[in-house]
Amino acid sequence: MKYGHKITLQDAQGSAGKPTLDELLRLKRLERPDAAFWQRFEQGMREKQLAAIIEPRPWWHGAALLGTRFAPLAIPATLGLAAVFAVAIFNLQVNRPEGINIAKKGTAYIAWNASPGTGHTENTVAPAKGGRDEVKTYAKIADKPMFEALEPALASPTLTPAAFAGKSDGVKNFNETDDTKAKGQSPAAPRELLRSNQELAGGDSPPAAESFVATDFLALPTISAEQSGLSNDAIELESRLSARQERLLALADERVEANSAADIAHVRERMVHRLDSEESRLASASRLGVGGDRFSLRF
Amino acid sequence: MLNSAKVLSPAASAAVLERRQEAEADWLLVRRIQAGEVARFDDLITKYRERIWGVIYHLCANREDAADLTQDVFLKAFQSINRFQGQSAFFTWLYRIAVNTTLNHLQKAKLRRFFSLEKIRDEAPVADLLDKLADPGNASDRAACLGELQQKLNEAMQKLSIKHRTVVTLYEIDGLSHEEIAEITGSSVGTVRSRLHYAKLQLQADLRDYLQA
């Protein structure tokens, strides 16, 4: 027995006298407090009501109340805000401000002023720091958008757009030299092509090249010695690229300060000669291009 | 073709009608309170305090906690009475506050719970039931038998999950309909029926030594 000497319910009841579950649950309804309990309840209720009146509400109570009041508008407001945000992003992409260009990975540009008074107001020349994964845009075109700067070249009688792309009119693409190289021709052929293209670019029709666009050498793809045909000396030369690049740019800066078209042409000639003397770099050059007053080499 | 409308018994129809009249009376009272007669809220407290206390007590099985929580429920209702729009019955709204308040309390006090049971009131209308539950031949041990039965029943109730316990309390003890329970708990009528079925199965399994086979 569970309660000492007393007979428990389980012991007292026979199987026939046992209640059902519903009857047992009705027993729960009988668990009710007496009148004294309700008197204490009312007194406690009054105290809590008074305490609630004088007790300052937390700072977030107003916000919570406001949120509850405007809860039915929550979904439409959210959808509206999302739509406005999407339209804003779309407009930003479509109406991108002029002069903002997204640099592609693996390509960097180095440019400097070659002719004064042509719209370029800033010389920003610096070596790339982040290796091949970090791309920096060094040329800042202050006044002219990109396509406007290309218009003179496209209108040039000697350089058609196709010529600018290096497909015809005597301007050849260095990629085409892969075939000649495969055919056993002289490795000096790319140099000849470079020289001929340079002559076309430096002709009388286009204005003096305003900027020289070169590839960030650190961003070049890795080519093994067997693939590129470079000697050990050439590999060592690659390791000193940044120093050479700085020397080239310093040389160009000196010439820019002269503010003379003759100097610009001289700089260009020196650059070409310099590139001529470095076979390894010349072999990796893939395209020579002239756009408007811009002369570019793509590696 | 069967008529899909539910056919209620006369007693059920009378209960529904009574609930509707009660809801209309409550709504009138609430509108007076919202208009500024805040003293009318005492009428609502007096009317519903036992039922609200009963729900809370059967959910938490502690009479002191039930008293505190009942006071909190009426305080919350008083503070929020202006937001009551009359879209549901007032007692449904009040029950919803009570159930939510109790569930929050139970979740917070999960590790420090203990029973504090109210005495069973031996009243004339239920004397037959008590005679059946206790041993009619041993009147002196009647209180002990009922006490043991109450203890076992509360233990079995507390073994139920909170959701199942809520449904059993509202339906079997407080006598609400499935639809009203569904409105209070924010679930469907089918869910309420399902929970009630499984809760009763579990109670029968736990109390099989005390119940008819």
Side-chain angles (χ1 to χ4, degrees), chain B residues 33-197:
Chain B
I33 296 167
Q34 290 174 340
E37 296 182 49
V38 291
R40 296 293 96 195
F41 194 76
D42 287 346
D43 297 343
L44 291 175
I45 293 176
T46 307
K47 184 177 180 179
Y48 285 109
R49 65 185 182 187
E50 288 193 36
R51 291 169 67 176
I52 295 297
W53 179 88
V55 171
I56 296 172
Y57 167 74
H58 293 125
L59 285 176
C60 67
N62 188 300
R63 44 185 265 166
E64 287 80 16
D65 287 350
D68 286 340
L69 290 173
T70 306
Q71 291 170 352
D72 291 343
V73 166
F74 281 112
L75 206 59
K76 285 181 184 176
F78 182 69
Q79 289 172 339
S80 308
I81 194 78
N82 281 330
R83 279 186 274 157
F84 178 67
Q85 302 294 326
Q87 294 171 348
S88 63
F90 175 76
F91 86 93
T92 307
W93 183 69
L94 193 62
Y95 268 62
R96 200 181 304 147
I97 296 175
V99 168
N100 290 334
T101 304
T102 309
L103 297 187
N104 287 337
H105 167 77
L106 290 176
Q107 286 174 351
K108 287 178 184 174
K110 198 178 289 183
L111 299 177
R112 49 181 176 84
R113 291 189 57 204
F114 56 91
F115 293 168
S116 171
L117 302 178
E118 195 70 51
K119 287 181 180 176
I120 295 176
R121 300 181 68 175
D122 195 348
E123 295 173 339
V126 290
D128 293 342
L129 173 64
L130 296 177
D131 286 342
K132 186 177 181 180
L133 294 175
D135 184 13
N138 295 293
S140 59
D141 293 322
R142 178 183 174 123
C145 291
L146 289 176
E148 180 186 348
L149 198 58
Q150 182 190 12
Q151 183 75 21
K152 293 295 178 188
L153 182 56
N154 276 299
E155 286 176 4
M157 285 282 288
Q158 296 304 315
K159 284 181 184 175
L160 297 175
S161 70
I162 294 177
K163 291 178 179 177
H164 288 87
R165 202 186 316 155
T166 303
V167 173
V168 170
T169 299
L170 293 177
Y171 185 81
E172 295 290 347
I173 302 174
D174 214 52
L176 299 184
S177 66
H178 294 110
E179 289 78 11
E180 289 168 336
I181 297 171
E183 193 175 350
I184 290 168
T185 57
S187 52
S188 67
V189 175
T191 303
V192 171
R193 291 178 190 273
S194 170
R195 286 178 184 168
L196 187 62
H197 175 72

Side-chain angles (χ1 to χ4, degrees), chain A residues 8-10 13 18-19 22-24 28-33 37-38 41-42 45-46 48, chain B residues 42 49 53 57-58 71-72 121 123 132-133 148-150 153-154 172-173 209-212:
Chain A
T8 63
L9 180 67
Q10 194 174 358
Q13 287 179 328
K18 287 182 178 178
D22 292 338
E23 290 173 336
L24 205 57
K28 291 284 289 177
R29 299 180 187 178
L30 303 178
E31 299 178 16
R32 287 181 297 183
F37 171 85
W38 291 118
F41 176 84
E42 282 189 10
M45 188 76 206
R46 300 277 176 221
K48 283 193 175 183
Chain B
D42 287 346
R49 65 185 182 187
W53 179 88
Y57 167 74
H58 293 125
Q71 291 170 352
D72 291 343
R121 300 181 68 175
E123 295 173 339
K132 186 177 181 180
L133 294 175
E148 180 186 348
L149 198 58
Q150 182 190 12
L153 182 56
N154 276 299
E172 295 290 347
I173 302 174
D209 292 337
Y210 303 90
L211 298 176
Q212 276 185 359

Side-chain angles (χ1 to χ4, degrees), chain A residues 73-97:
Chain A
L73 300 176
I75 293 177
T78 305
L79 290 177
L81 284 176
V84 168
F85 185 72
V87 168
I89 293 293
F90 179 76
N91 278 339
L92 190 66
Q93 289 187 343
V94 170
N95 302 323
R96 180 181 300 151

